[in-house]
């Protein structure tokens, strides 16, 4: 290598390092806040950040959101930068009052209003035709906008005080598990966002349900905290396709988020749905090389290291511990996790969607698992 090549190489390296710093050099203000009785002074301070085009990480009843003014394309671009989110994955617009819906959506059917009054605020996101007020950054250029009213006092007061709807995806860095506790927001997003509202753990710990009610029958785009069976009381039978179950990737991206690797731990994770196989694996020598993620009932039957998701009898508890279990798996010295499956009823549909996506299709591939476990690097790994 001649001198000039070496110099160019190092200059490029220096540039890369500086560029990386640029995306992480935001001064992040962290403010503690009570989720049930938020301090109005703190809400005002956070609202100032939104009004001036900044980004705020805030709790909702589902997971933490990374928000900016839904009317500012420039502010919303900061969300994509902070999260390293692909620009073709749209955001959800959060409103605090039904009267705000007409500012972001058009052609809202009149008979939908009484239903919205019943289901909002709550963990259910609905697709509408977008209004021209909503910039392309929010909808990734789509003609539709996803809207919801969160059931969390901090989120509602922040939107109201900001005077604009807030566009927000989940606050995690793209591909990582969603953030359900402020400690994860602090370690993942400090230096990337203007403000973090530190409010402890969120209520559901799993994202909102997304439906397209413009279709007949209405279609579930993403299962989430709002039970689909409960939604059917309002909308009649809802179509739940393979993609919503996490079985198939979306080819035509109506919910563009569906096509990305999602919610993933860094470690490889396998879904083992056969209970006796799960126990056999945990009783074999292989158990030394992996971590099990399972209900406390299953954990009580196996020896070896387990991350407990809580009781199988309460799928809401399982859902609320799921993303943290993926993060705990990453913190172990083991390279592999095995996770049990859960019945696809109620919120169980959302649980299985996240598990399948996080394990990127490694479903009950015991032959695969055996060959991986026999690889030398894993054998020597503690
Ligand atoms: P997140 O909150 O991080 O899960 O991101 C918001 C989710 O809403 C993503 O899965 C998006 O694909 C979905 N979403 C947002 N806007 C739309 C839209 N217009 N059509 C379909 N899905 C959407
Ligand atoms: Mg997300």
């Amino acid at each position: 290598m001649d001198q000039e090549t070496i110099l160019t190489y190092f200059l490029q390296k220096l540039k890369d390092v500086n560029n990386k710093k640029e995306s992480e050099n935001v001064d992040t203000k962290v403010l503690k806040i009570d989720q049930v009785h938020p301090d109005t002074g703190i809400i005002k301070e956070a609202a100032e950040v939104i009004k001036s085009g900044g980004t705020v990480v805030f709790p909702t009843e589902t997971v933490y959101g990374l928000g900016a003014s839904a009317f500012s394309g420039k502010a919303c671009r900061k969300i994509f930068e902070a999260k390293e989110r692909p620009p073709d994955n749209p955001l959800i617009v959060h409103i605090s009052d039904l009267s705000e819906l007409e500012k972001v959506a058009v052609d809202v059917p009149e008979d939908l209003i009484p239903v919205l009054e019943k289901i909002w605020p709550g963990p259910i996101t609905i697709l509408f035709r977008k209004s021209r007020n909503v910039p392309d950054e929010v909808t990734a250029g789509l003609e539709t906008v996803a809207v919801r009213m969160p059931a969390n006092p901090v989120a509602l007061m922040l939107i109201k005080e900001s005077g604009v709807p807030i566009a927000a995806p989940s606050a995690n860095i793209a591909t990582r598990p969603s953030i359900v506790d402020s400690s994860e927001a602090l370690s993942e997003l400090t230096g990337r966002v203007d403000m973090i509202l530190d409010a402890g753990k969120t209520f559901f710990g799993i994202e909102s349900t997304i439906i397209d009610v413009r279709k007949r029958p209405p279609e579930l785009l993403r299962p989430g905290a709002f039970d689909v069976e409960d939604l059917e009381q309002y909308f009649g039978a809802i179509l739940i396709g393979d993609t919503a179950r996490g079985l198939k990737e979306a080819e035509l991206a109506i919910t563009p988020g569906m096509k990305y690797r999602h919610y993933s731990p860094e470690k490889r994770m396998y879904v083992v749905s056969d209970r006796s196989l799960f126990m056999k694996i945990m009783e074999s020598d292989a158990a030394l090389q992996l971590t099990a993620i399972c209900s406390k009932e299953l954990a009580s039957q196996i020896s070896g290291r387990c991350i407990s998701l809580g009781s199988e009898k309460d799928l809401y508890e399982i859902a609320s511990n799921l993303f943290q279990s993926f993060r705990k798996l990453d913190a172990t010295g083991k390279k592999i996790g095995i996770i049990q499956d859960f019945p696809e009823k109620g919120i169980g549909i959302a649980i299985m969607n996240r598990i399948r996506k996080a394990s990127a299709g490694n479903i009950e591939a015991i032959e695969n698992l055996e060959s991986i476990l026999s690889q030398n690097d894993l054998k020597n790994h503690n």
Side-chain angles (χ1 to χ4, degrees):
M1 246 196 260
D2 61 31
Q3 283 269 310
E4 202 178 341
T5 321
I6 293 170
L7 198 66
T8 320
Y9 173 80
F10 279 108
L11 279 177
Q12 186 55 46
K13 278 268 159 232
L14 204 65
K15 227 168 122 191
D16 290 347
V17 170
N18 286 338
N19 280 346
K20 187 167 171 13
K21 271 202 189 132
E22 239 164 64
S23 67
E24 290 188 12
N25 69 358
V26 184
D27 222 349
T28 305
K29 185 156 191 183
V30 179
L31 294 174
K32 272 201 183 294
I33 192 160
D34 187 307
Q35 276 193 73
V36 187
H37 303 291
D39 180 290
T40 49
I42 292 174
I43 293 286
K44 279 204 168 79
E45 213 177 319
E48 282 311 315
V49 176
I50 297 285
K51 285 186 206 168
S52 60
T55 49
V56 177
V57 171
F58 62 98
T60 75
E61 80 280 34
T62 58
V63 298
Y64 273 82
L66 200 175
S69 165
F71 291 153
S72 164
K74 191 170 167 220
C76 287
R77 278 203 293 279
K78 294 183 187 168
I79 298 176
F80 288 87
E81 276 162 33
K83 271 183 67 96
E84 299 173 30
R85 184 178 177 96
D88 62 343
N89 192 1
L91 313 177
I92 292 175
V93 173
H94 296 74
I95 57 174
S96 61
D97 194 282
L98 256 186
S99 63
E100 286 166 318
L101 183 58
E102 62 184 29
K103 296 185 195 149
V104 294
V106 295
D107 299 342
V108 179
E110 245 170 56
D111 57 356
L112 192 59
I113 302 292
V115 177
L116 294 177
E117 277 168 352
K118 289 199 179 104
I119 60 178
W120 279 349
I124 169 73
T125 299
I126 310 227
L127 238 58
F128 298 96
R129 221 160 75 79
K130 87 173 187 87
S131 125
R132 274 187 301 183
N133 298 333
V134 181
D136 278 345
E137 282 83 352
V138 172
T139 62
L142 295 174
E143 276 311 299
T144 49
V145 61
V147 185
R148 88 174 186 101
M149 192 191 294
N152 176 294
V154 174
L156 288 174
M157 285 169 70
L158 177 62
I159 301 163
K160 191 157 278 170
E161 191 64 37
S162 302
V164 284
I166 295 184
S170 56
N172 55 288
I173 290 178
T175 82
R176 302 278 298 128
S178 299
I179 289 176
V180 303
D181 190 89
S182 45
S183 60
E184 296 147 13
L186 293 178
S187 61
E188 199 156 304
L189 299 161
T190 301
R192 289 174 178 257
V193 295
D194 296 305
M195 184 174 279
I196 297 175
L197 292 178
D198 174 354
K201 201 171 170 187
T202 60
F203 184 76
F204 286 107
I206 200 159
E207 301 87 342
S208 64
T209 303
I210 307 180
I211 50 168
D212 188 349
V213 295
R214 299 166 315 142
K215 289 193 167 168
R216 286 284 160 258
E219 188 181 348
L220 179 71
L221 299 180
R222 175 179 75 182
F226 204 114
D227 188 329
V228 180
E229 285 139 37
D230 290 343
L231 275 180
E232 289 186 330
Q233 289 173 31
Y234 303 103
F235 298 109
I238 292 172
L239 180 73
I240 309 177
D242 281 353
T243 317
R245 290 190 190 278
L247 288 168
K248 189 173 133 236
E249 290 305 290
E251 279 143 28
L252 224 174
I254 176 155
T255 285
M258 295 192 293
K259 73 182 181 202
Y260 295 109
R261 183 167 169 252
H262 243 105
Y263 319 117
S264 307
E266 273 145 21
K267 307 288 166 77
R268 202 164 352 175
M269 193 167 73
Y270 286 82
V271 191
V272 179
S273 47
D274 182 317
R275 241 7 84 84
S276 58
L277 180 58
F278 197 103
M279 288 163 65
K280 204 174 111 200
I281 295 172
M282 290 312 286
E283 278 153 20
S284 71
D285 289 348
L288 292 172
Q289 302 167 49
L290 45 83
T291 303
I293 303 178
C294 58
S295 67
K296 72 171 189 205
E297 287 85 357
L298 186 51
S300 71
Q301 293 177 55
I302 52 180
S303 50
R305 203 192 133 77
C306 283
I307 297 170
S308 171
L309 290 168
S311 173
E312 236 164 56
K313 295 191 191 104
D314 182 359
L315 288 182
Y316 283 93
E317 185 185 4
I318 303 281
S320 76
N321 290 322
L322 195 63
F323 287 130
Q324 284 189 319
S325 77
F326 298 167
R327 287 176 183 270
K328 283 181 188 162
L329 171 64
D330 281 341
T332 66
K334 311 294 163 85
K335 279 194 178 169
I336 287 184
I338 61 169
I339 186 163
Q340 72 172 95
D341 68 353
F342 291 91
E344 281 181 87
K345 285 209 69 73
I347 199 170
I349 301 175
I351 294 172
M352 285 313 297
N353 166 290
R354 305 306 187 272
I355 288 179
R356 289 190 180 116
K357 284 172 168 280
S359 54
N362 291 334
I363 294 169
E364 212 175 342
I366 184 61
E367 309 83 25
N368 218 344
L369 188 61
E370 268 170 1
S371 79
I372 289 164
L373 289 170
S374 66
Q375 283 165 20
N376 279 341
D377 64 333
L378 270 174
K379 270 202 164 146
N380 299 332
H381 198 89
N382 288 312

